Amino acid sequence: MASTETKHEICSPLMPRRNALRKTCAEIVNEVRQSLRVQSTHRPFTPRDGHRQLFGSASIRDNRPPSAFSLHAQSFDASDSRPGSGTRLSPLDHKPTFSVPCDADNPFKALPKPPTSPVKPRRGLAGAGVRARLLRPGSLTRLPPLEGHRNVKEPLNAGPGQKQLSAKQLSSTDHTAGYSGPVKPGPHTTASERIVQSDVDSAVRPKDCKEDSTTEPERGDNKGNKEEDAESLMWNNVIIPLLQKLESAAAGGSEGSVDRLCDLCDRLHGTLAEADMLGRRCKKRSGILRTLFRLIDLNYAQLNMHIAQLCLALCVSGNNLLNICKLIFQISRTESNDILFQNNSLIDSLLRMLSNEHVSASGEAILYCVGTLKFLSGNTEILRILLDKNFICVAQKLIQKLCIVEETNLPIAGHILVQLTTILRNLADLSDSRPLFVSFSILPALCQVLQQHCEDQDVCMNISRIYSKLSSYSECRLALAQTPDCYQLFLELLSKHHQKQDLIVRLLFTLGNLTAKSDEPRLELFQCDGCMRTLLRLYDIYQRKDEPPHTVVQKGASPPVRPQVADDVLVKLVRVLANMCIHPAVGPPVAADTACIRLLMETLELRTVEESEELLVNVAAVINNLSFYQKETSAIKHNQLHIAKLMLKLLLSSSTGAMLEAVRVYGNLSHYEDVRNFIMRNKVHQFVVTLLDSKSNEMCFAACGVLTNLALDPPSRVCLMVEGASAKLVDCLRDFGLGDWQLAGQICKAVWNLTGGSSEKVLYTEERESLLEMLAAYLDEEEALNWTDNKDLRDFHRACWELEFLPVAQKLMKMLQSADLTA
């Protein structure tokens, strides 16, 4: 708003300042009110999905794992020793023989003995069904037969002429010694045969085969034998009684037994932990697992939580790990079960599993584990627990593993990322999480994910939601802005998924945030390959919102989009243009882009303020910013009259925001004589003078800018004085001057131009005296600047006072005093 000298020293607004000697103050002032304005908008809203499932109803993923399934005891492998490849073990040629009925080193290698009495299943339990057959008290002390002496019934894989066992028959015949040590594969047994034992399998009770502590070790390994002795004693004296109590409580079948079962599981867990028998160190862990798996058929969520926690502590693997994760996932699908996860340490176990397991070996288990945490993260209390347990660190390590998977594992990696990014989006709502997103470099890591999974719309959508949320905060915005090639990546995604409106609107919102505060992102985005081409293509696609719904879309063309969605996309896109063209190296080429200016004018023609207020306000802001660059190549300059006509729609609307932006555009365009004549001819000046009565500093400032330019023409001054412009300007100075020195300076410029450098013909005596009194007070530095104790505010006001007000006020003061003396 530097002054332009005429023979009467006329002042003109809204032009770049040239006073390089006052650079420091100018920078301070420029931060608050500048003719190039940054646009803001609301963040896109995404309602929470009320259904707890792995993928939303709108997802179109191929071969996605199910969210609903059934689990039973038969789903698990009690031995938990199956080879990772799932291949069958080769038979052994050697068949061991035993010369003694009881080996002191291993009491479970005993010759089979017939049971002393037949075991009969309990009867009379209401609804027991399979449970009565699965849970027999007598089965607790039964031990597996010797290798090479097993009397196996029909194998699972029946040969020609053999009868195939049904699932029901399998469950009814499984009454083996569930609590013995792990069964070693025999010469001709399969993994399935090791799980299913015949009722006639022989076993001995532990008391029949106690360890002889006096036996001399065969190899002299005293330490090893002592450890085995201690484990065997713990097994016989503590663990087996606990397992017997578990089965006894389960066989009771009453609701009251659930708490007892949970308590027994806790005691078993604590006992194993104290004896250092967790993990895979316990030689008899398969017996414990077999017991726990049978309890799953009781179908109590609270009990299954304890079972799952103990199984994870025993380091189950393979199919068992997958099924345990499915079991936990199944529990978490019911929102009322969230309280169960708050009251135990299962979340810790899940986080440890995510840190330790590999996608190639346990991809599906990881999927259901992360899916569980996704459901739980919808609970604000559990979300806080996840943050406190350093989930963001775990997520960062998991993302690293997912980014280096082999191509064959990319589908399962994508499924996991959908769950993981949903949790991160929920965590982004917590203010405490934002420093962690930065310190653990989550934002750059997600860019790497976008590059690898750019075709996956679910993954892209979730990450765009994270970015749109976090880019509203300075520290996260800076971290994202410093990520190499992020702007080029966003442009590629905009081009690739141009029909995915929800994704497009969030990526554009993020770009608008990145370009809102700093010049570097503005230039970097503009210099990306195909930047304007991509943005203008999107603009053209979403501009066509009024196309009839039954219009046949030609092949290769994008389908029509809903008006509300189209407007939301365009609001965010136009905001990017408005922010980007603030950079002095970006503004001129954008202003010269005829396709861009055509689309902006087309929007003003097609839309109404009533239906698209925010969009039209943003479009006017872009035109205002571009009209700042008044080069000969500017398409704004070549279309100045047409744009001035389009601004009337906004100026005469009931929207204050639209009105303000229209006045700002007139403030820049009124630099051209044709536009000034248009304004006076269409009586726009009357409306502008009326706006001086506004209670808004911004509205008065914009109106003063237009009046300052209109007063350049002597014929227009008379019209403005007839409308009472001078009196209203004096009132504005009285109302706003002391607190807004930029506005005070602009008012002085408008008054100066109105007087044409001579006040006696224009100002009434009362107005002149009132203006002299105010100027004398405002030019008193002590009185003008010391009304606030805030140092920063005082420094800012001093800068505005020195730059914007003091020069023109002193000049106006001399002119008024001279006129007063003459009078």
Side-chain angles (χ1 to χ4, degrees):
M1 303 173 196
S3 59
T4 300
E5 299 296 332
T6 69
K7 71 176 182 179
H8 292 298
E9 296 183 305
I10 300 300
C11 300
S12 178
L14 304 175
M15 298 296 292
R17 293 187 175 89
R18 303 298 182 191
N19 189 356
L21 298 177
R22 311 299 295 272
K23 182 68 173 178
T24 303
C25 292
E27 288 177 346
I28 297 175
V29 175
N30 196 44
E31 287 296 321
V32 174
R33 184 188 279 125
Q34 50 185 340
S35 55
L36 297 181
R37 309 188 65 81
V38 171
Q39 287 305 105
S40 61
T41 185
H42 63 278
R43 183 168 55 82
F45 171 72
T46 304
R48 290 192 181 275
D49 189 352
H51 302 286
R52 292 194 172 189
Q53 49 193 6
L54 283 174
F55 307 99
S57 56
S59 177
I60 54 173
R61 309 183 70 79
D62 295 328
N63 301 319
R64 58 185 188 180
S67 295
F69 39 77
S70 59
L71 286 173
H72 303 286
Q74 297 100 316
S75 306
F76 296 82
D77 302 327
S79 63
D80 198 46
S81 59
R82 194 172 288 183
S85 63
T87 56
R88 184 176 299 179
L89 293 174
S90 301
L92 298 176
D93 296 331
H94 173 67
K95 293 184 179 181
T97 58
F98 300 91
S99 57
V100 293
C102 182
D103 189 331
D105 289 336
N106 193 339
F108 301 100
K109 291 182 180 179
L111 292 175
K113 293 171 60 178
T116 55
S117 60
V119 180
K120 297 181 180 180
R122 286 176 175 264
R123 302 188 182 277
L125 290 177
V130 177
R131 189 190 311 162
R133 296 191 296 272
L134 289 175
L135 304 173
R136 294 186 179 184
S139 69
L140 284 167
T141 57
R142 298 173 63 89
L143 302 175
L146 286 172
E147 295 86 336
H149 295 78
R150 184 170 299 175
N151 182 15
V152 181
K153 280 190 174 183
E154 301 167 25
L156 284 178
N157 299 319
Q162 291 182 308
K163 181 180 179 181
Q164 177 70 46
L165 285 178
S166 66
K168 183 175 180 180
Q169 288 172 317
L170 290 178
S171 61
S172 65
T173 59
D174 191 4
H175 305 298
T176 60
Y179 313 104
S180 63
V183 181
K184 298 180 181 179
H188 302 288
T189 59
T190 67
S192 299
E193 292 168 349
R194 294 196 301 275
I195 302 171
V196 184
Q197 305 287 332
S198 170
D199 268 338
V200 298
D201 282 347
S202 300
V204 294
R205 296 181 181 273
K207 66 179 182 180
D208 297 329
C209 193
K210 292 183 179 179
E211 303 219 340
D212 185 359
S213 59
T214 62
T215 305
E216 287 292 326
E218 204 173 78
R219 299 181 182 178
D221 191 353
N222 292 322
K223 181 178 179 181
N225 275 322
K226 287 180 180 178
E227 290 178 354
E228 291 180 5
D229 290 346
E231 181 175 322
S232 186
L233 286 172
M234 176 64 71
W235 176 263
N236 292 334
N237 298 332
V238 180
I239 296 176
I240 282 186
L242 280 175
L243 297 176
Q244 290 174 333
K245 290 177 182 178
L246 269 173
E247 185 167 326
S248 177
S254 65
E255 291 291 334
S257 66
V258 177
D259 290 337
R260 170 135 177 90
L261 286 167
C262 293
D263 180 63
L264 288 171
C265 284
D266 281 344
R267 287 171 58 189
L268 178 60
H269 195 156
T271 299
L272 293 172
E274 290 176 7
D276 196 25
M277 297 170 67
L278 290 176
R280 305 183 76 87
R281 289 184 294 273
C282 179
K283 295 181 179 179
K284 308 172 183 64
R285 60 193 291 277
S286 60
I288 300 172
L289 292 175
R290 186 179 289 111
T291 304
L292 296 175
F293 295 158
R294 286 172 176 167
L295 296 177
I296 290 173
D297 281 343
L298 296 177
N299 199 27
Y300 294 125
Q302 184 179 356
L303 175 60
N304 286 344
M305 289 282 290
H306 290 269
I307 294 170
Q309 189 168 355
L310 183 48
C311 287
L312 290 177
L314 288 168
C315 294
V316 293
S317 59
N319 184 61
N320 285 342
L321 178 62
L322 171 59
N323 284 329
I324 286 296
C325 290
K326 282 186 173 182
L327 180 66
I328 301 170
F329 174 87
Q330 206 172 50
I331 296 169
S332 68
R333 290 196 68 192
T334 303
E335 191 171 348
S336 59
N337 289 336
D338 286 359
I339 189 67
L340 300 178
F341 291 88
Q342 293 177 242
N343 297 333
N344 63 31
S345 59
L346 184 57
I347 289 178
D348 295 290
S349 301
L350 295 178
L351 295 181
R352 278 194 298 271
M353 177 202 151
L354 291 181
S355 298
N356 297 332
E357 295 295 329
H358 295 283
V359 180
S360 57
S362 309
E364 198 172 356
I366 293 175
L367 170 65
Y368 284 103
C369 175
V370 182
T372 296
L373 296 176
K374 180 187 77 171
F375 296 156
L376 298 177
S377 69
N379 182 307
T380 53
E381 294 183 17
I382 299 182
L383 186 64
R384 173 61 62 178
I385 292 173
L386 287 174
L387 182 63
D388 294 340
K389 293 183 181 297
N390 207 14
F391 175 82
I392 292 181
C393 176
V394 175
Q396 186 251 355
K397 293 178 180 178
L398 182 56
I399 289 173
Q400 288 179 342
K401 290 192 285 188
L402 292 170
C403 285
I404 58 174
V405 298
E406 297 178 0
E407 188 173 349
T408 54
N409 291 317
L410 277 179
I412 192 67
H415 297 332
I416 295 170
L417 284 166
V418 173
Q419 319 305 315
L420 183 61
T421 50
T422 303
I423 304 172
L424 291 174
R425 168 58 189 83
N426 292 340
L427 282 168
D429 283 331
L430 302 179
S431 59
D432 295 347
S433 72
R434 292 161 201 156
L436 298 176
F437 273 93
V438 175
S439 61
F440 285 108
S441 301
I442 296 295
L443 299 175
L446 292 177
C447 271
Q448 185 180 357
V449 171
L450 281 176
Q451 289 173 337
Q452 291 190 352
H453 296 267
C454 59
E455 301 287 346
D456 193 323
Q457 290 190 359
D458 293 334
V459 173
C460 293
M461 179 64 187
N462 283 350
I463 295 178
S464 73
R465 292 179 63 208
I466 296 171
Y467 284 159
S468 69
K469 174 68 177 180
L470 293 180
S471 62
S472 300
Y473 303 96
S474 57
E475 67 274 24
C476 298
R477 183 167 57 245
L478 179 61
L480 182 57
Q482 293 175 342
T483 302
D485 300 325
C486 73
Y487 302 100
Q488 189 68 57
L489 174 62
F490 289 168
L491 289 172
E492 290 172 2
L493 291 173
L494 288 172
S495 180
K496 185 182 295 290
H497 300 291
H498 61 270
Q499 293 182 345
K500 181 74 173 174
Q501 295 98 330
D502 291 344
L503 173 60
I504 293 297
V505 78
R506 285 164 178 79
L507 290 174
L508 290 171
F509 180 76
T510 302
L511 286 174
N513 289 344
L514 292 174
T515 54
K517 300 294 183 181
S518 174
D519 261 354
E520 290 183 12
R522 295 164 186 159
L523 183 60
E524 191 171 348
L525 173 61
F526 180 73
Q527 290 178 339
C528 287
D529 182 39
C531 172
M532 288 300 295
R533 183 175 63 252
T534 299
L535 293 179
L536 295 183
R537 180 191 177 213
L538 282 175
Y539 201 149
D540 187 53
I541 290 173
Y542 286 90
Q543 186 85 283
R544 300 180 299 102
K545 71 151 192 162
D546 291 324
E547 200 167 324
H550 299 295
T551 299
V552 178
V553 180
Q554 296 186 5
K555 187 176 181 180
S558 301
V561 294
R562 301 189 309 276
Q564 292 179 344
V565 174
D567 272 14
D568 205 17
V569 171
L570 290 179
V571 164
K572 272 59 177 182
L573 190 152
V574 169
R575 176 184 176 231
V576 174
L577 292 174
N579 293 349
M580 189 169 60
C581 68
I582 292 175
H583 195 288
V586 176
V590 174
D593 192 321
T594 55
C596 178
I597 305 306
R598 176 185 58 80
L599 286 168
L600 292 170
M601 293 190 298
E602 188 179 276
T603 303
L604 292 172
E605 292 169 349
L606 295 176
R607 303 304 206 266
T608 64
V609 177
E610 289 72 24
E611 68 174 3
S612 306
E613 178 182 353
E614 186 180 7
L615 174 58
L616 293 186
V617 168
N618 279 11
V619 168
V622 177
I623 292 175
N624 178 54
N625 284 359
L626 293 175
S627 64
F628 180 83
Y629 306 102
Q630 299 174 359
K631 295 188 176 182
E632 290 300 320
T633 58
S634 172
I636 294 287
K637 181 178 180 180
H638 297 157
N639 294 275
Q640 55 185 275
L641 278 179
H642 186 44
I643 293 173
K645 293 176 183 177
L646 292 172
M647 285 297 115
L648 284 176
K649 179 192 295 187
L650 277 65
L651 186 66
L652 301 176
S653 72
S654 59
S655 166
T656 303
M659 204 180 303
L660 175 59
E661 288 302 332
V663 175
R664 284 173 175 159
V665 172
Y666 280 131
N668 276 356
L669 293 183
S670 58
H671 175 76
Y672 303 108
E673 185 177 358
D674 288 346
V675 175
R676 292 199 300 270
N677 292 336
F678 169 84
I679 291 174
M680 299 303 297
R681 188 169 56 251
N682 289 276
K683 302 186 184 307
V684 176
H685 67 284
Q686 296 177 352
F687 196 87
V688 174
V689 171
T690 304
L691 292 177
L692 291 175
D693 293 327
S694 169
K695 301 300 182 184
S696 164
N697 295 45
E698 294 296 330
M699 188 70 79
C700 289
F701 184 85
C704 284
V706 178
L707 295 176
T708 304
N709 279 355
L710 292 178
L712 290 170
D713 304 318
S716 300
R717 295 174 197 159
V718 177
C719 296
L720 293 175
M721 296 307 295
V722 170
E723 297 297 329
S726 60
K728 290 181 182 295
L729 287 170
V730 173
D731 290 339
C732 275
L733 185 61
R734 180 185 298 108
D735 294 338
F736 299 114
L738 189 61
D740 190 338
W741 295 116
Q742 283 187 303
L743 175 55
Q746 192 63 55
I747 291 171
C748 290
K749 292 177 184 179
V751 172
W752 178 270
N753 282 6
L754 275 175
T755 63
S758 177
S759 66
E760 61 268 18
K761 296 181 181 178
V762 180
L763 295 176
Y764 293 107
T765 303
E766 183 180 348
E767 292 173 358
R768 186 167 59 249
E769 290 177 353
S770 178
L771 190 55
L772 275 169
E773 182 182 349
M774 280 187 290
L775 290 175
Y778 292 169
L779 288 171
D780 183 344
E781 186 174 348
E782 287 296 320
E783 184 175 343
L785 298 177
N786 291 336
W787 54 272
T788 176
D789 294 330
N790 187 311
K791 182 180 183 301
D792 292 336
L793 186 60
R794 188 166 60 248
D795 290 345
F796 165 71
H797 276 275
R798 180 178 298 278
C800 291
W801 184 80
E802 292 179 358
L803 276 176
E804 305 291 337
F805 175 73
L806 186 61
V808 67
Q810 287 175 335
K811 185 166 57 176
L812 183 58
M813 182 82 166
K814 288 179 181 179
M815 183 266 290
L816 292 173
Q817 287 174 338
S818 174
D820 191 44
L821 289 173
T822 302

